[in-house]
Amino acid sequence: MRRQLTVLVSLFCACFAAASTAHADTVIGVFSDNGSSCSFSGNNTGLVTAHVVVRPDGGVRGVRFKAPIPDCFDAVYVTETVPEGVLSIGDSQTGISLAFQNCANEPAHVLDITYYASGGTTPCCELTLAADPLVGYLQAVDCNQVEIPMQSLTAYMNADSTCQCSAPPIPPGPPSLVYPPDGATSLVRPVVVTWACANPNALDMTCDLYVGTTATPPLLAAALPGTSVWSYSLQGLLPDTQYYWRAVSRNPDGGEASGPVWSFRTRGNDIPVVTLTSPADGATGVLLPVLLKWTGTDSSPLVYDVYFGTDPLALPAVVTGIASTQYSPPSLAFLTKYYWRVVGRDPDGGEGATPTRSFTTRPENLPPNAPFSPSPANNATNVSPSPIMAWAASDPDGQALTFDVYLGTNNTPPLVASNVRIPYQPNLLYQTKYYWRVVARDTGGLTTSGSLWNFTTRSNTPPSAPSNPSPANNAVAQPLNSILSWTCVDVDGHALAYDVYFGNTSPPPLVSSNQATASYDPGPQNYTTLFYWRVVARDPYGAEAAGPVWIYTTRSEDESPVFASALPADGAINVPTNATLQWSFIDPDGEPLNYDVYFGTDTSPPLVADHISATTFAPGTLLTGTYYRWRVVARDPAGHEASMAVRTFITTTISGGAPFAPSNPSPPNNGPSYSLTPLLTWQGGDPDGDLLHYEVYMTQGGAPLVYLGSTTSTSFQVQEPLVPGAIYQWYVTAYDDRWYTQGPLWSFTATYAVVPVAFASFGAVQNGTAVDVRWTLGGDEALQSYTLYRRDSRAQPAEIARGRVDRASDSYRDTTVQPGTTYTYELVVRSSDGNEFRSPVATVSMAALELALHQNVPNPFNPQTTIRYELPQEAHVRLLVFDVSGRLIRTLEDRDRAVGTHEVTWTGRDDSGQPVTSGVYFYVLEAGKQRLTKKLVLLK
């Protein structure tokens, strides 16, 4: 399509040249798909697309016009689109203004108008752009926003031989030499040849390249695309050889021009130079293993053969054809003299060899040095029960070491791990003294033991006393369905269990034991009653902390419900035809309510639903542009009622597709918020590409949903702090001025985001198909090691990385994540004295795959093109090709397909196997209930 539009813009120049005057003002015209204003030929029924192009005289920033349909056309307007980078107001049928992001100094494609022709077009029917009625003339402004004159170029529908046509394009100029200079010598291979060609009509051109060793070189490459300058890298040239070459340029209308024959000569082949660098010649006491190193110099890339052994007169080749400049021979002996040499080879057969050199290995294998510098330090106290045990060790021969770890509660600790690497992490008891030592082992089997070390683990810290009660202590007039909640923290990070005491006597009796949540539902409660309650928290090691006795009093009597809010707003206009009625009433006693709904077009709307518990009602698809009335009556279990006044709204007069339901929430559904003022985010979209407005609703503890506000982005910041430990429900409604779509009801638990002193920052962000986790550490602690944990909504936290703390800032890339999944990350950092620091939890929601149909590649194409599409879920797929009249040409796919990316190739043939003609075609993807369409062009 890009080349097609370039062609029509270039032909526009030619058309203008044929119609220009002494003073060439800015001109605007209409062109067909093949780029001509005289080629709207044929009189078939179907879609016709006209492309509007403007030719500026000195630069233009905007134009204003109208495109009336002449009676002789016998067609109706269907739709229109503007290219990327063009802004529009209005439409071509009543008057349109178009503005360009940048000043246009060359012919510019500004609008596509699609008509449906009925087959009755009069031959040589003239289509001319007219003045916008608001200004009364064709209007244009230059790059300084100064109004300039503009005239319209006439196009002809159903053109025949009597129609006025544009002048034929001028053939291109002959190619001219850019590089290398004609007759150049000693050129380094490969040689990049470059030439230029001018085209008076600014058409896209192609070039054929002829290269050989005779004065009449053969064709090497045909139809090389370009605009003004071409380059081509000549591979596989011979050294010290004379070459001849020329280029032939050609435009799309068949005009061509040949350049002269040029020549150059390549440089002769150089002998590679190879130099041995390590070990030094004659070196002794060389440590094992040995790494041989050398360098190579040549104008071409080299490969190497390595000769190595103990007989200098018969060295075998131990490795050949390697590109590396180093090699480590395996299994060398101690106190042995070795010889080696290297041969370097270039692609043209040139070789360069080094002299033979020698070295002697060290006399014997020495045992490892004793392990030292233990962590935890010897005699350390207050050590974590899950310490990262590390030590330093070395080997005089430079060999890799493994270790045996002995660990226990007496001074002759048993073996607990063999052949491990550094570090080692056990799970130990609290407040216990441990003894340990490490034995180092080299690859030859020699061992050395370190000293006996010891450390004492820290004691278990009890949890904090439960606090922040809800209902608050001494609260009065509380609902009869009050839910108890509290806050409790364990500094060791242990999961806590709770005993709950509750009743109307003091002290209250035990009602729940060892529950995992920091909330409790005592069930229905009586009016005007004083309740007592307290909580005891317990960690897995039996350490407990008891909260004080708290009290609250329930309401004194039953009261009628009170109307709070309703949507659509009273008197609202342009309400979507799939609108859902929503309302909220508050019951002072906290009792469940049921509702009667009255709805219709009458002054007194009829009853349409009674005694329902939901606070929404969907009346079905409504009529467009219609006046509706409605009201709701709320009723509590005692029969007390409250009614809202009759409310009215008018539905929209526009139809269209409904927005997609909001999805992929953050905080994740049923997960923690890690903030008392969380940023709510979700995913959404609209099939028509309309701007969406989102309305956010939230509730806590079963109370009526409260409208928080609206936004045009897919995020909303909660302003008022939430209650710690409380469970909140929320949903989002998407609105596109025509339709509402309500997302599902999600929930999360409000929690604190506690950042330890050791963390300056911690976060995780999506990076393509991976997640980047980054952190910066602070504080005065001597930090030693870290462990990174990850969990999704279905699994317990799992370790995904660990390592030593070598720098304040570090990162980790998680490449094992899946689309459409939400992950949480947490980092645990440990100091040398055994203290642990936990990061805040970072949440990343990976974007789910969406149904996508990509532009075919290449486009335009000949003889074949590839179409790629993506499925978010398994579906039955149909991929179809239609011509511009809507006739099915080819079925490319009609089968079940799995989730993921798929590719299909079309060779330009119909279902009967016959090749189709050049032109514009549409390809359509059907998957489930969704349908996507794109346009492609076949050029022959």
Side-chain angles (χ1 to χ4, degrees):
M1 185 65 184
R2 182 188 64 80
R3 179 182 176 186
Q4 170 188 319
L5 294 177
T6 303
V7 169
L8 72 88
V9 170
S10 301
L11 286 176
F12 178 84
C13 293
C15 293
F16 173 77
S20 62
T21 62
H23 178 70
D25 293 331
T26 296
V27 177
I28 192 165
V30 176
F31 293 82
S32 67
D33 277 333
N34 65 6
S36 172
S37 64
C38 290
S39 60
F40 287 95
S41 59
N43 205 5
N44 299 322
T45 300
L47 297 175
V48 176
T49 299
H51 307 283
V52 180
V53 178
V54 61
R55 190 272 193 191
D57 179 21
V60 66
R61 193 61 180 263
V63 296
R64 190 169 187 172
F65 61 89
K66 177 183 177 183
I69 302 176
D71 293 339
C72 58
F73 189 6
D74 190 24
V76 296
Y77 168 81
V78 177
T79 187
E80 61 188 41
T81 58
V82 296
E84 183 177 355
V86 178
L87 305 177
S88 68
I89 299 176
D91 62 74
S92 63
Q93 303 308 296
T94 60
I96 188 169
S97 295
L98 299 169
F100 317 140
Q101 289 185 352
N102 299 303
C103 185
N105 294 296
E106 300 293 339
H109 167 224
V110 297
L111 184 65
D112 292 333
I113 309 174
T114 301
Y115 306 95
Y116 184 85
S118 299
T121 303
T122 302
C124 216
C125 175
E126 294 187 359
L127 175 59
T128 305
L129 300 181
D132 185 322
L134 291 178
V135 295
Y137 55 91
L138 287 172
Q139 185 182 40
V141 293
D142 64 13
C143 300
N144 296 317
Q145 304 296 335
V146 176
E147 189 171 301
I148 57 177
M150 182 173 67
Q151 58 180 311
S152 175
L153 183 69
T154 301
Y156 298 92
M157 317 304 293
N158 192 16
D160 59 19
S161 59
T162 67
C163 295
Q164 177 184 355
C165 294
S166 60
I170 303 172
S176 59
L177 178 63
V178 176
Y179 182 85
D182 189 24
T185 60
S186 298
L187 296 184
V188 177
R189 296 164 293 140
V191 175
V192 178
V193 293
T194 305
W195 66 98
C197 184
N199 191 338
N201 293 302
L203 296 176
D204 278 356
M205 292 187 296
T206 60
C207 281
D208 298 340
L209 177 63
Y210 296 79
V211 180
T213 56
T214 66
T216 56
L219 177 67
L220 175 65
L224 299 174
T227 54
S228 58
V229 178
W230 284 257
S231 291
Y232 193 90
S233 178
L234 301 178
Q235 303 291 327
L237 300 181
L238 298 175
D240 196 22
T241 301
Q242 184 82 12
Y243 285 92
Y244 299 87
W245 68 290
R246 70 184 179 95
V248 176
S249 59
R250 185 178 295 107
N251 64 26
D253 295 304
E256 67 175 46
S258 175
V261 176
W262 303 303
S263 68
F264 63 83
R265 190 174 192 87
T266 55
R267 179 181 175 182
N269 191 29
D270 296 326
I271 301 300
V273 177
V274 184
T275 305
L276 304 182
T277 59
S278 178
D281 189 25
T284 60
V286 176
L287 299 178
L288 302 182
V290 177
L291 183 63
L292 308 179
K293 297 182 179 180
W294 63 91
T295 61
T297 304
D298 193 76
S299 59
S300 302
L302 299 177
V303 295
Y304 303 95
D305 302 336
V306 181
Y307 296 82
F308 183 85
T310 56
D311 185 354
L313 301 179
L315 290 180
V318 293
V319 64
T320 60
I322 63 172
S324 175
T325 57
Q326 58 185 33
Y327 170 72
S328 181
S331 305
L332 300 187
F334 289 101
L335 196 58
T336 302
K337 190 171 186 178
Y338 290 96
Y339 299 86
W340 65 300
R341 65 188 180 91
V342 176
V343 175
R345 291 182 282 115
D346 66 21
D348 300 309
E351 289 190 355
T354 70
T356 299
R357 286 190 170 182
S358 68
F359 64 87
T360 303
T361 56
R362 66 175 298 125
E364 60 177 335
N365 183 24
L366 298 179
N369 298 317
F372 63 99
S373 187
S375 177
N378 192 30
N379 298 315
T381 59
N382 199 33
V383 175
S384 166
S386 297
I388 301 294
M389 301 180 67
W391 53 91
S394 62
D395 186 82
D397 301 315
Q399 299 183 54
L401 300 178
T402 59
F403 305 93
D404 296 340
V405 180
Y406 295 78
L407 175 67
T409 57
N410 56 56
N411 57 9
T412 56
L415 177 67
V416 294
S418 298
N419 295 317
V420 300
R421 303 285 185 181
I422 304 172
Y424 172 71
Q425 184 175 21
N427 291 316
L428 308 177
L429 300 174
Y430 281 98
Q431 205 166 357
T432 303
K433 186 172 185 177
Y434 286 91
Y435 298 85
W436 66 300
R437 66 185 180 93
V438 176
V439 175
R441 179 182 294 103
D442 67 15
T443 55
L446 298 182
T447 62
T448 302
S449 176
S451 302
L452 182 67
W453 302 310
N454 71 81
F455 61 83
T456 302
T457 55
R458 60 183 170 87
S459 59
N460 181 31
T461 304
S464 64
S467 60
N468 297 322
S470 178
N473 191 29
N474 296 313
V476 296
Q478 297 302 296
L480 302 185
N481 60 349
S482 294
I483 295 176
L484 313 180
S485 66
W486 58 92
T487 300
C488 194
V489 178
D490 187 82
V491 295
D492 298 321
H494 299 315
L496 298 177
Y498 302 99
D499 296 342
V500 181
Y501 297 79
F502 176 82
N504 54 14
T505 61
S506 181
L510 177 67
V511 293
S512 178
S513 297
N514 293 317
Q515 68 171 47
T517 60
S519 64
Y520 175 73
D521 185 356
Q525 298 151 49
N526 297 326
Y527 291 111
T528 321
T529 302
L530 177 64
F531 287 98
Y532 302 83
W533 65 294
R534 71 184 184 96
V535 178
V536 176
R538 181 182 308 104
D539 70 15
Y541 298 94
E544 292 185 349
V549 175
W550 298 308
I551 62 173
Y552 70 89
T553 304
T554 53
R555 296 187 61 85
S556 59
E557 63 181 37
D558 187 22
E559 297 183 15
S560 298
V562 178
F563 170 70
S565 63
L567 287 174
D570 191 23
I573 60 174
N574 292 325
V575 173
T577 55
N578 72 332
T580 297
L581 308 181
Q582 304 176 54
W583 61 87
S584 65
F585 284 78
I586 298 173
D587 188 78
D589 308 305
E591 296 177 320
L593 303 176
N594 64 73
Y595 305 94
D596 296 343
V597 182
Y598 298 80
F599 178 82
T601 57
D602 297 338
T603 304
S604 297
L607 178 68
V608 293
D610 65 282
H611 291 82
I612 63 173
S613 58
T615 58
T616 62
F617 176 76
T621 302
L622 306 179
L623 299 175
T624 57
T626 303
Y627 197 93
Y628 286 94
R629 296 175 175 85
W630 67 293
R631 69 184 182 95
V632 175
V633 175
R635 183 182 303 106
D636 69 14
H640 297 135
E641 293 184 349
S643 175
M644 73 181 195
V646 174
R647 303 170 72 88
T648 64
F649 64 85
I650 301 176
T651 54
T652 180
T653 59
I654 307 173
S655 60
F660 301 128
S663 62
N664 198 21
S666 179
N669 192 28
N670 298 319
S673 67
Y674 297 112
S675 172
L676 297 185
T677 54
L679 177 66
L680 308 178
T681 67
W682 58 91
Q683 289 181 343
D686 187 84
D688 308 312
D690 295 332
L691 174 66
L692 295 181
H693 296 267
Y694 296 97
E695 297 174 343
V696 183
Y697 298 84
M698 181 181 289
T699 184
Q700 184 261 325
L705 285 160
V706 176
Y707 171 67
L708 295 186
S710 64
T711 176
T712 56
S713 69
T714 54
S715 64
F716 186 87
Q717 179 67 58
V718 175
Q719 300 295 327
E720 295 295 328
L722 306 180
V723 177
I727 297 176
Y728 287 84
Q729 292 82 35
W730 65 295
Y731 72 84
V732 178
T733 296
Y735 173 49
D736 67 354
D737 292 332
R738 299 186 294 273
W739 296 89
Y740 278 117
T741 300
Q742 180 175 312
L745 186 66
W746 300 310
S747 69
F748 64 85
T749 302
T751 57
Y752 288 102
V754 180
V755 181
V757 176
F759 285 89
S761 65
F762 179 77
V765 295
Q766 180 177 350
N767 186 348
T769 59
V771 171
D772 286 342
V773 185
R774 302 183 181 92
W775 61 89
T776 300
L777 307 177
D780 300 326
E781 293 280 347
L783 302 177
Q784 186 175 51
S785 63
Y786 70 83
T787 305
L788 181 63
Y789 296 91
R790 185 193 76 189
R791 75 180 298 270
D792 59 27
S793 59
R794 302 177 300 276
Q796 294 296 318
E799 177 186 324
I800 61 172
R802 67 165 53 197
R804 298 187 63 81
V805 176
D806 298 321
R807 50 189 180 271
S809 296
D810 210 339
S811 64
Y812 175 79
R813 173 160 293 182
D814 185 3
T815 60
T816 62
V817 293
Q818 299 297 321
T821 304
T822 297
Y823 297 93
T824 58
Y825 295 85
E826 183 178 21
L827 189 72
V828 176
V829 179
R830 299 170 180 86
S831 65
S832 57
D833 59 4
N835 289 331
E836 289 186 356
F837 300 90
R838 290 181 178 269
S839 73
V841 173
T843 301
V844 175
S845 296
M846 298 297 293
L849 289 176
E850 295 183 356
L851 182 67
L853 178 62
H854 298 277
Q855 187 64 52
N856 62 303
V857 177
N859 185 44
F861 75 95
N862 182 22
Q864 68 180 34
T865 188
T866 299
I867 300 172
R868 183 167 60 91
Y869 63 90
E870 294 167 358
L871 296 178
Q873 60 189 9
E874 182 178 354
H876 186 83
V877 171
R878 298 180 70 209
L879 184 60
L880 313 170
V881 179
F882 297 85
D883 63 15
V884 293
S885 68
R887 182 168 59 93
L888 177 63
I889 297 297
R890 181 67 185 271
T891 300
L892 298 174
E893 294 265 62
D894 190 359
R895 58 173 169 164
D896 292 336
R897 279 291 206 174
V899 175
T901 301
H902 305 277
E903 290 186 350
V904 180
T905 299
W906 185 37
T907 58
R909 295 179 179 271
D910 60 18
D911 281 331
S912 64
Q914 297 300 312
V916 301
T917 60
S918 296
V920 177
Y921 294 87
F922 297 91
Y923 57 102
V924 178
L925 175 67
E926 296 179 351
K929 297 182 179 180
Q930 293 183 264
R931 179 183 173 101
L932 300 176
T933 303
K934 284 190 177 294
K935 183 165 65 175
L936 54 76
V937 179
L938 172 60
L939 291 180
K940 293 186 177 180

